[in-house]
Amino acid sequence: MGKIVAVCTSPKKGMRKKNVGEGTLVIEHGIQGDAHVGDWHRQVSLLALESIEKMQKMGLDVKPGDFAENLTTEGIDLVSLPVGTKLKIGEQALGEVTQIGKECHTRCAIYYQAGDCVMPKEGIFIRVLEGGQVKVGDSIEIQAK
């Protein structure tokens, strides 16, 4: 079992997200108030704090939200989860892994600063199956089949 260490949103695509501390996951939509919501397979993005720490060790001054992820997690190996895995997030929300990593069509500022970026390889995406409130400190766990 892991935990949520940041809940991040942004008003526009293509920008770093801000840790707002809590949010509402809306069924088949995403995290309320975020630019990436919609009826598609990448409704909510997740990145592990452990991945962010890799970039910090490379000398970058980065924090949760800087990779445009919605939920920053700790203690769960996100990239090892197969597509279709269900994740219980907080008390009520349920998400399903739809994609591991993403193709970067344009190089972001992080890439130019470090020569690498973790989100394309280590970020995952989910769609929201059951909505609910999520906040920093909530658990995130793989749902038993």
Side-chain angles (χ1 to χ4, degrees):
M1 180 168 39
K3 71 176 183 175
I4 303 294
V5 295
V7 177
C8 307
T9 62
S10 65
K12 294 182 184 173
K13 292 182 179 183
M15 62 188 301
R16 293 177 181 198
K17 297 186 185 295
K18 179 181 177 196
N19 182 5
V20 293
E22 63 184 334
T24 303
L25 293 179
V26 179
I27 296 173
E28 293 300 344
H29 191 66
I31 189 163
Q32 197 168 43
D34 186 62
H36 287 92
V37 297
D39 184 18
W40 68 320
H41 70 287
R42 287 174 26 184
Q43 295 169 355
V44 180
S45 57
L46 290 78
L47 184 66
L49 181 63
E50 294 85 351
S51 296
I52 295 170
E53 289 170 343
K54 282 184 196 176
M55 299 305 286
Q56 290 170 338
K57 287 177 184 166
M58 294 176 72
L60 290 182
D61 180 20
V62 290
K63 61 189 179 315
D66 286 348
F67 295 91
E69 79 279 6
N70 294 118
L71 302 176
T72 309
T73 66
E74 183 177 41
I76 188 167
D77 186 10
L78 297 175
V79 294
S80 72
L81 302 176
V83 168
T85 300
K86 295 196 174 44
L87 296 171
K88 184 172 187 324
I89 306 166
E91 295 286 319
Q92 299 174 302
L94 183 68
E96 179 182 42
V97 177
T98 57
Q99 185 174 324
I100 309 294
K102 69 173 190 157
E103 183 179 344
C104 263
H105 298 287
T106 58
R107 300 286 189 210
C108 66
I110 300 291
Y111 180 87
Y112 286 116
Q113 289 172 358
D116 197 11
C117 182
V118 290
M119 191 63 186
K121 294 175 279 203
E122 300 181 23
I124 72 167
F125 298 89
I126 64 171
R127 67 187 190 103
V128 181
L129 301 178
E130 293 178 25
Q133 288 293 116
V134 293
K135 64 184 179 315
V136 170
D138 278 353
S139 64
I140 179 167
E141 57 187 293
I142 298 168
Q143 190 76 23
K145 293 188 178 198

